[in-house]
Amino acid sequence: MSTNKVIHAIYNDDDILMDAVKATRAAHHHIEEVYTPFPVHGLDKAMGLAPTRIAIASFIYGCIGLTFAANLLNYIMIVDWPQDIGGKPSFAFYQNMPAFIPVMFELTVFFAAHLMVITFYLRSKLWPFKQAENPDVRTTDDHFLMEVALHGNEEDMVSFFKNTGAVEVKVIDKH
Amino acid sequence: MYTFSNKLKTFAFVLMALGLLGLAYGFLTAPKTTEDVEKILAESHHDGHHAAAPAHGEADPAVAEIAHEAAKGEKVSDTVVAAHEEASVEKAADSTTAHAAVAPADEAHHDDAHHGAEAEAHAAHQKHLEHVLHQLQNKPWAALYVACIFFLLISVGVLAFYAIQWAAQAGWSPALFRVMEGITAYLLPGSVIFFILLVLSGMHMNHLFAWMGEGVTDPASPNYDAIIDGKSGFLNVPFFLIRALVFLGGWNLYRYFSRRNSLAQDNASDDSFYKKNFKMAAGFLAFFIVTESISSWDWVMSVDPHWYSTLFGWYVFASFVVSAVTVIAFVTLYLKSKGLLEYVNTSHIHDLAKYMFGFSIFWTYLWFSQFMLMWYSNIPEEVTYFVTRIENYKLPFFGMVVMNFVLPILILINTDFKRLTWIVVMAGIIILTGHYIDFFNMIMPATVGDQWFIGAAEIGALMFFLGLFIFVVFSALTKAPLLAKRNPLIEESKHFHY
């Protein structure tokens, strides 16, 4: 069957790509992926991708960092060994809190930033020595490639994408 | 064109009338003599003045004692707290009337303050009554002063924000220029009233500024204060008033000419007025950063003439600029709800809300930097500023951190929330209230001390200036179309989308 066949439509302008994406969605063809050399503003909306939730994740990581820092400082400075260092009151957490705020702030930012980046790598499946998934080397330079699942008549689909302004339309057997 | 709705006009007049009533009540009920004060103190069961007699002698030891006791983690005794309040407020507000009482009270303290030397104790008690009298007489004046400077600085903040938009050639904001110009119309009446208040202070109509007190710089006077005398090269009434005149005059001139050029640009055939305004905005910002700093020393920091802080100018700026952006958002949302700002979309509101969010954090950063540096080093000379605030103004002092930081950061961090009118309005009300309390916290402890209360005079002054502000701003908005027509960036601003 033709289920593992895809069409690679290649464009050389992001405006044409955007129009093609809209036309493809309107014609109810399923877009598997779009490869671009740089971020195309509004492409995610045109493709109908769900908005990212990475900011929410980052907020939660920041809260974890804040909790971690507060407990760390409370345990070390107040609970474990509350010694008098230069007359700073170490009888309760709130009494010495101004001195802890810089650390609490930095650890909040540290957790929020780093864990968010790691989350991004995990969700995007990025790591060193990862095999690049590039269907056409030109897409990292100056070409835009839309990959569409092939259903129904191959001739019709190829001519459809030719009409969307593609400079090249290929049918690929994907394994 | 906008027409001032009758409802809003009536509302503004009602606010002004009620505010004047509240202020009049405040001035009329202020005590005239020490006998009145004794009655007020007896009624309020104020127990601080029993400890006042020995207190005068231990002005500075008291500060050290508080720090010492706090370090030991013991509860600071009422006597010491009272003594400390006395000491620091006395110094700031009465400019060392304590000196007269020092010698006898000191001896009395060494023998046994509570039982010996009744005559000296009585004299000290009279001193205390006089001190409280000054504080209570200051109360309506300080209420007027706080509300006046709060609204004046909001319009100054809008002017600074407006100049930044010009100088930065911002593409999103020209659709809001007429709103900002409308708000800055309050600058002229606001600064006239404010300058009159400063002149009245200089004429000894009130005791808002301790350094203006009589005999403070005269070594022969019982009121002599060597520290203030040392600063009298800067802190003297004529120079103070000249400075105020230069600052207010400079800001008003920029406001006048930039508004005139902005209107002229609407009917111009080239961009020469735009270029003029661009250059003028850059010049104004350089002038502003210097004058804003000095004016915050003059008008806010000098109520505590024994205290100083280097980042104070920035701190005051952060406080009023966040209020200013909030007011821009409020007026924009109001006009938009009337369908008058065709090209303002949720992206413009989103940008304003981002500024509210960012400047709130900036304010907190400066508030904390100022507080933490002084708390950490705990040098008695500087730290009394915060000791009096934490002892006597605990709720406003820490409450404003919640209102100006915690609530805005939690409410405005969400992108979708920043586009919702009711969320922005809610956050804005919290921010504006919080920054009024901020100014309250800056002025009141030095002028009325522990006699503070948010009552008829305070709310009345706030209502009066709010009414005046609404009246002036919305009158000015009727005088020009709400969209700047030939601004080179207006097309970009109309289609601004984020």
Side-chain angles (χ1 to χ4, degrees):
Chain A
M1 287 296 286
S2 63
T3 41
N4 52 356
K5 272 191 172 175
V6 292
I7 287 185
H8 279 178
I10 297 175
Y11 303 88
N12 57 9
D13 187 283
D14 49 343
D15 283 338
I16 299 170
L17 173 78
M18 285 289 283
D19 292 340
V21 166
K22 281 170 194 156
T24 312
R25 293 248 305 159
H28 299 293
H29 295 305
H30 178 68
I31 302 173
E32 299 274 344
E33 192 64 271
V34 177
Y35 296 88
T36 64
F38 52 78
V40 177
H41 188 77
L43 183 61
D44 52 340
K45 282 217 177 70
M47 287 171 70
L49 299 180
T52 173
R53 290 169 297 182
I54 201 157
I56 299 167
S58 181
F59 184 79
I60 294 167
Y61 298 147
C63 293
I64 294 169
L66 184 64
T67 314
F68 173 76
N71 282 295
L72 178 84
L73 288 161
N74 183 49
Y75 178 70
I76 295 172
M77 302 301 289
I78 309 295
V79 177
D80 189 33
W81 195 356
Q83 64 176 334
D84 183 341
I85 303 166
K88 285 279 159 281
S90 50
F91 307 98
F93 182 71
Y94 77 89
Q95 282 185 322
N96 212 356
M97 196 170 76
F100 302 155
I101 295 274
V103 182
M104 286 159 66
F105 169 75
E106 293 294 346
L107 277 179
T108 306
V109 175
F110 180 87
F111 271 62
H114 288 81
L115 291 181
M116 177 177 76
V117 168
I118 292 169
T119 305
F120 169 73
Y121 286 154
L122 291 175
R123 291 289 288 140
S124 324
K125 300 192 178 66
L126 284 174
W127 59 87
F129 311 114
K130 179 194 159 79
Q131 196 65 41
E133 299 164 355
N134 196 2
D136 192 311
V137 288
R138 289 171 298 170
T139 61
T140 63
D141 184 10
D142 61 350
H143 281 65
F144 304 81
L145 188 149
M146 178 161 60
E147 186 177 290
V148 183
L150 183 68
H151 295 292
N153 192 317
E154 191 177 313
E155 305 271 298
D156 286 357
M157 281 195 74
V158 170
S159 67
F160 172 81
F161 285 107
K162 282 257 156 77
N163 285 334
T164 58
V167 290
E168 201 177 311
V169 180
K170 291 186 287 192
V171 179
I172 305 280
D173 230 339
K174 219 182 180 188
H175 302 294
Chain B
M1 288 289 271
Y2 168 71
T3 44
F4 200 161
S5 85
N6 271 328
K7 260 189 208 163
L8 193 65
K9 202 180 266 178
T10 316
F11 178 64
F13 284 129
V14 168
L15 275 179
M16 279 192 268
L18 286 177
L20 280 179
L21 280 180
L23 269 173
Y25 175 80
F27 276 103
L28 291 175
T29 52
K32 308 275 179 302
T33 58
T34 49
E35 282 78 35
D36 296 345
V37 174
E38 202 144 38
K39 259 184 239 155
I40 292 169
L41 290 181
E43 275 167 25
S44 64
H45 301 289
H46 180 68
D47 55 355
H49 62 277
H50 297 304
H56 287 283
E58 43 184 34
D60 280 330
V63 178
E65 204 170 331
I66 282 183
H68 182 60
E69 294 216 10
K72 283 195 297 186
E74 288 165 11
K75 190 187 173 295
V76 178
S77 76
D78 285 343
T79 316
V80 176
V81 172
H84 175 70
E85 288 167 10
E86 274 310 308
S88 53
V89 178
E90 186 90 67
K91 274 204 292 186
D94 271 7
S95 53
T96 65
T97 46
H99 280 290
V102 165
D106 220 358
E107 282 162 26
H109 181 62
H110 286 308
D111 298 340
D112 184 354
H114 290 283
H115 304 295
E118 269 180 30
E120 283 86 349
H122 179 71
H125 179 63
Q126 285 304 316
K127 280 279 172 208
H128 172 67
L129 287 180
E130 202 175 296
H131 167 62
V132 177
L133 174 68
H134 283 168
Q135 292 184 329
L136 288 175
Q137 284 178 334
N138 261 345
K139 222 173 132 297
W141 283 102
L144 186 63
Y145 188 79
V146 170
C148 185
I149 197 171
F150 182 62
F151 281 98
L152 171 70
L153 289 182
I154 282 179
S155 65
V156 173
V158 175
L159 190 68
F161 191 76
Y162 173 73
I164 291 170
Q165 301 305 312
W166 275 98
Q169 302 182 38
W172 67 279
S173 51
L176 300 173
F177 273 180
R178 287 294 141 78
V179 174
M180 297 186 208
E181 286 164 12
I183 299 171
T184 54
Y186 179 77
L187 185 62
L188 184 61
S191 39
V192 169
I193 297 173
F194 184 71
F195 188 72
I196 291 171
L197 259 181
L198 294 184
V199 171
L200 291 180
S201 299
M203 289 162 66
H204 307 294
M205 299 287 284
N206 56 52
H207 302 278
L208 287 181
F209 300 92
W211 57 267
M212 287 178 179
E214 282 177 61
V216 172
T217 54
D218 175 11
S221 164
N223 286 339
Y224 179 67
D225 186 320
I227 294 175
I228 292 177
D229 192 22
K231 298 182 180 184
S232 61
F234 186 78
L235 287 181
N236 59 75
V237 175
F239 189 30
F240 175 80
L241 291 180
I242 291 168
R243 280 200 303 272
L245 209 54
V246 170
F247 302 162
L248 293 170
W251 302 342
N252 274 295
L253 281 178
Y254 169 68
R255 195 268 160 191
Y256 175 76
F257 284 111
S258 70
R259 162 81 165 181
R260 205 176 64 168
N261 285 349
S262 174
L263 292 179
Q265 178 66 31
D266 272 7
N267 305 315
S269 52
D270 60 1
D271 290 340
S272 62
F273 289 109
Y274 171 80
K275 284 175 190 159
K276 267 186 203 156
N277 253 8
F278 170 75
K279 286 180 196 154
M280 203 159 52
F284 167 73
L285 285 171
F287 175 76
F288 174 75
I289 203 63
V290 176
T291 52
E292 187 278 327
S293 220
I294 301 174
S295 61
S296 68
W297 310 335
D298 274 357
W299 304 339
V300 187
M301 198 160 80
S302 86
V303 294
D304 279 294
H306 284 214
W307 181 80
Y308 50 85
S309 163
T310 39
L311 60 71
F312 198 75
W314 280 108
Y315 171 71
V316 173
F317 171 74
S319 187
F320 69 72
V321 84
V322 65
S323 313
V325 174
T326 307
V327 170
I328 297 174
F330 274 9
V331 177
T332 308
L333 286 171
Y334 172 79
L335 293 174
K336 186 155 176 59
S337 76
K338 300 272 163 200
L340 293 160
L341 292 172
E342 191 187 343
Y343 293 102
V344 173
N345 54 40
T346 51
S347 293
H348 293 98
I349 305 299
H350 187 171
D351 263 28
L352 286 171
K354 273 191 282 188
Y355 273 111
M356 285 159 64
F357 176 77
F359 280 132
S360 285
I361 294 169
F362 179 59
W363 174 87
T364 315
Y365 165 65
L366 292 172
W367 174 83
F368 181 71
S369 300
Q370 181 169 278
F371 170 68
M372 194 265 247
L373 284 178
M374 293 194 177
W375 171 86
Y376 210 107
S377 57
N378 202 19
I379 300 169
E381 185 184 5
E382 317 183 312
V383 87
T384 49
Y385 185 82
F386 290 108
V387 172
T388 50
R389 275 155 185 79
I390 291 172
E391 293 296 344
N392 300 332
Y393 291 75
K394 197 164 251 132
L395 182 66
F397 187 70
F398 290 110
M400 76 173 177
V401 181
V402 175
M403 296 180 84
N404 294 342
F405 173 63
V406 181
L407 296 178
I409 202 179
L410 292 177
I411 296 170
L412 291 176
I413 198 166
N414 188 309
T415 301
D416 299 328
F417 283 6
K418 284 194 276 264
R419 290 167 179 271
L420 298 177
T421 304
W422 71 274
I423 294 261
V424 174
V425 169
M426 194 176 71
I429 290 171
I430 293 170
I431 288 172
L432 284 177
T433 316
H435 285 282
Y436 170 74
I437 296 173
D438 186 17
F439 276 93
F440 189 84
N441 268 320
M442 287 192 252
I443 302 291
M444 290 296 175
T447 50
V448 303
D450 57 355
Q451 302 297 324
W452 71 275
F453 185 68
I454 299 189
E458 284 77 6
I459 294 172
L462 204 55
M463 283 165 78
F464 173 75
F465 284 105
L466 179 63
L468 184 68
F469 188 82
I470 291 174
F471 178 70
V472 173
V473 168
F474 286 91
S475 301
L477 284 170
T478 60
K479 298 204 173 98
L482 289 175
L483 187 71
K485 274 195 261 337
R486 275 203 80 263
N487 188 304
L489 295 158
I490 195 72
E491 279 308 313
E492 184 181 344
S493 181
K494 278 182 191 173
H495 299 106
F496 173 67
H497 180 77
Y498 171 74

